[in-house]
Amino acid sequence: MPIVKNVSRAVSQLLQSSGCGCGISIVPVRCIGVSPRQVASDASFHSVSFSESDHPRVLITGGLGQLGVGLAKLLRKRFGKNNVILSDIRKPADHVFYSGPFIYSDILDYKNLREIVVNNRITWLFHYSALLSAVGEANVPLARAVNITGLHNVLDIAAEHNLRLFVPSTIGAFGPTSPRDPTPDLCIQRPRTIYGVSKVHAELMGEYYHYRYGLDFRCLRYPGIISADSQPGGGTTDYAVQIFHDAIKTGKFQCNLKPDTRLPMMYIDDCLKATLEVMEAPAEALTMRTYNISAMSFTPEELAQEVQKHVPELQVTYNVDEVRQAIADSWPMNFDDSNARRDWGWKHDYDLPEEESRG
């Protein structure tokens, strides 16, 4: 299914519906700090009907980022509204707050997080709290705290309470010495960003907890994610989101990567589908704890050409950010996701038009 027309239409509808014309600001960066605050019990979280009780009880950390809100919507359709709790340290927008249970959760506050898991009988945990690549390089101590210390809290609580734990990884988990075209599941990983280092750490710690303590840890390496209903929040692949907003809002787009920078990408609907599928996959089908997933691979120039077919007046210029370019140049150009396709039947739905024949 072609992706550009789909995303362009979604962004157009989003911007038209926004009173200020700037879209919904859901930023995938959580500036998390230690807090002694505890979460008060909410009766609605515990009023689960008998028919819902057979479903997993889900907690999503860092839920106000690029993926959390969409994942909550998908899971609530599948498991019931009250079985999926979205959490973050920021105040949610009205449409998020009223769409289902929301709770304050600080992943650096171990007691707070443990209390939430116990009080709400959580069985599945999706851990999305993280600082992304470019933002992490600007604040390494905070990235280290959120991405590594926060992960340790989540791992310990998940192991203690026998949770099924999902932690996303990324193309950023690879480095300049990794094979780039294609990049297999198992190869050398020497990333040069704190974001990438923290994700390799998460992969290895999750695998260790699986073999040492029996933790049901599952992980997907996401490519760049294209999403119409979020604003860029510090990732190297942000241009693939920003171009749609700028095309409709101003008709001008300035890209901070070189036009020929090829990176693996995926539409958010495919990303969320893959996440649910790997969590529902039978344990015996999984031959590894961390999988690559892929859908398409393109350059800023190729994406701009496709967008211009739908927004012909779009003017594209390039002003390369050396930090982001260096990061992108160390990342994979294409993912080999054959293991995911073999083990649990992964198959993407969205492509650029030239790639519709794949998958």
Side-chain angles (χ1 to χ4, degrees):
M1 183 183 299
I3 188 173
V4 173
K5 188 173 183 180
N6 183 293
V7 179
S8 183
R9 184 188 302 117
V11 173
S12 179
Q13 293 172 348
L14 177 68
L15 296 181
Q16 288 173 7
S17 66
S18 172
C20 64
C22 60
I24 299 172
S25 181
I26 302 175
V27 183
V29 178
R30 274 71 68 186
C31 297
I32 298 178
V34 177
S35 170
R37 289 192 293 169
Q38 299 302 316
V39 181
S41 299
D42 188 321
S44 67
F45 290 173
H46 303 281
S47 302
V48 180
S49 67
F50 179 79
S51 62
E52 290 180 313
S53 63
D54 293 330
H55 291 308
R57 294 278 295 168
V58 178
L59 174 67
I60 303 172
T61 67
L64 297 185
Q66 183 183 22
L67 299 175
V69 174
L71 180 65
K73 183 178 180 181
L74 176 65
L75 296 179
R76 284 166 178 164
K77 287 181 180 178
R78 187 63 167 267
F79 302 131
K81 177 179 177 180
N82 288 329
N83 281 324
V84 180
I85 301 173
L86 199 62
S87 74
D88 210 304
I89 63 166
R90 294 181 292 128
K91 184 170 67 176
D94 286 350
H95 76 281
V96 175
F97 183 78
Y98 291 110
S99 66
F102 180 90
I103 198 168
Y104 173 91
S105 175
D106 181 347
I107 62 165
L108 293 181
D109 187 337
Y110 179 88
K111 184 179 178 182
N112 166 247
L113 185 60
R114 190 168 183 260
E115 196 171 286
I116 291 169
V117 168
V118 171
N119 286 349
N120 296 286
R121 300 180 296 115
I122 299 301
T123 57
W124 285 16
L125 197 159
F126 293 82
H127 178 51
Y128 278 115
S129 296
L131 261 67
L132 304 184
S133 55
V135 171
E137 289 306 288
N139 194 339
V140 172
L142 180 62
R144 187 175 61 235
V146 174
N147 296 10
I148 297 178
T149 304
L151 170 76
H152 293 173
N153 289 341
V154 168
L155 285 169
D156 287 342
I157 291 169
E160 178 185 0
H161 296 284
N162 196 31
L163 308 185
R164 181 170 296 182
L165 173 63
F166 178 84
V167 178
S169 189
T170 165
I171 54 175
F174 298 97
T177 55
S178 305
R180 298 187 67 209
D181 190 15
T183 303
D185 284 302
L186 299 176
C187 65
I188 189 170
Q189 293 176 256
R190 291 292 185 273
R192 293 183 178 175
T193 65
I194 186 61
Y195 175 62
V197 169
S198 70
K199 287 302 184 180
V200 174
H201 179 75
E203 294 176 13
L204 295 176
M205 287 293 288
E207 185 172 320
Y208 173 76
Y209 269 61
H210 171 70
Y211 290 111
R212 179 67 173 82
Y213 302 113
L215 175 64
D216 190 353
F217 172 85
R218 305 181 183 207
C219 178
L220 297 178
R221 292 192 188 108
Y222 291 155
I225 304 302
I226 303 172
S227 170
D229 57 356
S230 67
Q231 293 285 346
T236 300
T237 57
D238 279 351
Y239 83 87
V241 175
Q242 189 67 54
I243 188 172
F244 293 101
H245 291 274
D246 288 355
I248 294 167
K249 185 180 177 182
T250 68
K252 297 179 180 180
F253 171 65
Q254 184 177 88
C255 184
N256 53 27
L257 295 181
K258 295 177 181 177
D260 61 350
T261 305
R262 183 170 300 279
L263 293 168
M265 296 283 185
M266 179 176 289
Y267 187 45
I268 189 171
D269 287 7
D270 275 338
C271 175
L272 298 179
K273 181 183 78 164
T275 302
L276 177 57
E277 286 179 353
V278 77
M279 284 293 276
E280 291 190 317
E284 59 271 16
L286 304 179
T287 61
M288 54 187 66
R289 293 290 111 189
T290 299
Y291 289 90
N292 293 342
I293 54 169
S294 184
M296 65 193 88
S297 182
F298 56 75
T299 68
E301 184 176 40
E302 290 169 349
L303 180 61
Q305 290 172 353
E306 289 302 322
V307 174
Q308 286 169 333
K309 292 179 182 178
H310 304 278
V311 189
E313 64 274 19
L314 174 64
Q315 300 176 26
V316 179
T317 58
Y318 295 88
N319 183 18
V320 177
D321 180 323
E322 296 301 329
V323 173
R324 295 192 188 214
Q325 186 64 51
I327 294 172
D329 288 343
S330 72
W331 283 0
M333 298 170 65
N334 288 288
F335 260 163
D336 176 359
D337 62 356
S338 56
N339 287 318
R341 294 174 185 265
R342 180 200 65 215
D343 287 359
W344 43 276
W346 160 241
K347 184 178 181 181
H348 67 278
D349 292 326
Y350 292 88
D351 274 320
L352 283 178
E354 295 90 338
E355 299 187 343
E356 284 183 276
S357 61
R358 185 192 166 199

